[in-house]
Each structure stands twice: as C-alpha cells, then as structure tokens.
Amino acid sequence: TGAAMVFRPTFEKTLNRFSSEQAVPAEKPVSTPADGAVPLSLDEALRLAESATPGAVITSITLPATPTAPLVVRQRQSSEWHLGGRTVVYLDQYSGVRLRVDNPFLAPAGTRAANNLFTIHTGRLGGDVTRILLVFVGFTPATLFATGFMMWLKHLGRSRRGLQGRSLKEREPLAVEEV
C-alpha cells in the first residue's frame, strides 16, 4: 500500500485500464474573474458546497491563492472510510458555480481503489486484524535482511577457514566417484 500511495497516478491508471468504466480526464477547474468581481463570502460558498452533496460533512476548505483558482471544499460522506473524506467540490470563487464535484462513489474502479489505499495502509479498514497483519508484514523486510546477513556471515566464515594459508594449487582436487 505504501508503494502504491507513492506511485498513485501509475497505480490508478493501471487499474483503470482493466476497468470497464472510463476515467474522466480531470482538468483543473478554473475560476473566471470579471472586472470588479468580488469573491463569494465564505458562508455562501459553504452553503453551495453543502448543496452539492447533501449530508456530507465539510472537513477542509482551500481558499483560492490566485484570481483564477477555484475555492475547494473537501467533504466526507457518511459511508466513506477516509477520515478526511474524498468528496471534493470545486466552486468558482466569484459566481459560486460548481466547476466540478469529485464523488468517490461514482469514480472508476482504479480511482476508488486508490482512494482507499490510505485506510488500508493505516489499518483503519479491517480493524485490529488488519493492524496485526500489517505489523507482521512490516517486519518482513527487516527479518529478511537480518537472516540474509547471518547467512552471508556464515558463508564468509566457512570460505575463509577453507582457504586460509593455502594457494589455489595446494588445494585438494574434488573427489569424483565412478559408478
């Protein structure tokens, strides 16, 4: 899950290729500034975002940093696993028009899988059983390193004892048995 989170775009695209659902190319939403336009009040923007996904809880708000950036409201629907939610509403910062609504339940299979990586990675999905399994899986690389290192040291010791003080010419040839 950690590697899939790091390489999320590749992971998501690969899974979406095997899905019958087509991923919609996500163009960046853009606000349209007009001469003398005043950005929406925060209360009005939140009301519009709430109307886009009734019943969802607002978890974060990203205010526009540039005149063309949208106001972004992240929400969590009741059946979402991710604590911060994966529902995102993009609003034009001046008119309040909904530029895009990313609903995780309507996304293609690869996107839905990628959205759940974090909850699987942290053990939130599956409860204590998953957390215990993740502890053992997490120790696997360290265990493989330690046992491999011990095997290498053992091999190194054997080969040094067998070759110490003798040149290649002085070694005994291997015995070959005839059948």
Side-chain angles (χ1 to χ4, degrees):
T1 58
M5 286 176 12
V6 169
F7 300 109
R8 181 187 169 124
T10 305
F11 174 77
E12 194 172 324
K13 284 178 189 174
T14 303
L15 288 182
N16 281 336
R17 284 188 184 173
F18 296 108
S19 173
S20 61
E21 304 158 314
Q22 293 298 316
V24 178
E27 296 177 10
K28 273 198 156 184
V30 178
S31 289
T32 310
D35 291 336
V38 179
L40 289 172
S41 70
L42 190 55
D43 290 333
E44 180 64 17
L46 294 179
R47 187 186 63 72
L48 291 167
E50 286 174 335
S51 71
T53 51
V57 176
I58 296 172
T59 58
S60 72
I61 302 161
T62 305
L63 299 174
T66 65
T68 58
L71 185 127
V72 182
V73 180
R74 187 169 176 175
Q75 301 174 329
R76 181 179 185 273
Q77 297 182 54
S78 61
S79 55
E80 285 187 64
W81 292 333
H82 195 282
L83 290 175
R86 291 289 185 180
T87 304
V88 183
V89 179
Y90 298 88
L91 299 171
D92 185 296
Q93 64 173 303
Y94 304 103
S95 66
V97 171
R98 279 186 226 145
L99 301 172
R100 190 171 86 205
V101 177
D102 292 344
N103 186 334
F105 300 115
L106 302 176
T111 305
R112 288 193 313 263
N115 284 343
N116 292 318
L117 286 172
F118 182 75
T119 53
I120 296 167
H121 184 76
T122 58
R124 181 168 162 76
L125 178 66
D128 290 336
V129 173
T130 306
R131 288 185 185 108
I132 291 167
L133 179 65
L134 288 174
V135 167
F136 287 111
V137 169
F139 278 119
T140 301
T143 304
L144 289 171
F145 173 78
T147 56
F149 185 70
M150 289 188 303
M151 289 171 65
W152 178 73
L153 285 177
K154 188 176 181 181
H155 173 74
L156 188 65
R158 282 184 186 165
S159 63
R160 281 193 176 166
R161 277 185 301 228
L163 296 178
Q164 263 182 343
R166 294 190 287 169
S167 69
L168 288 174
K169 290 180 182 177
E170 295 174 338
R171 276 196 248 146
E172 296 175 25
L174 292 173
V176 178
E177 292 183 27
E178 290 187 29
V179 180

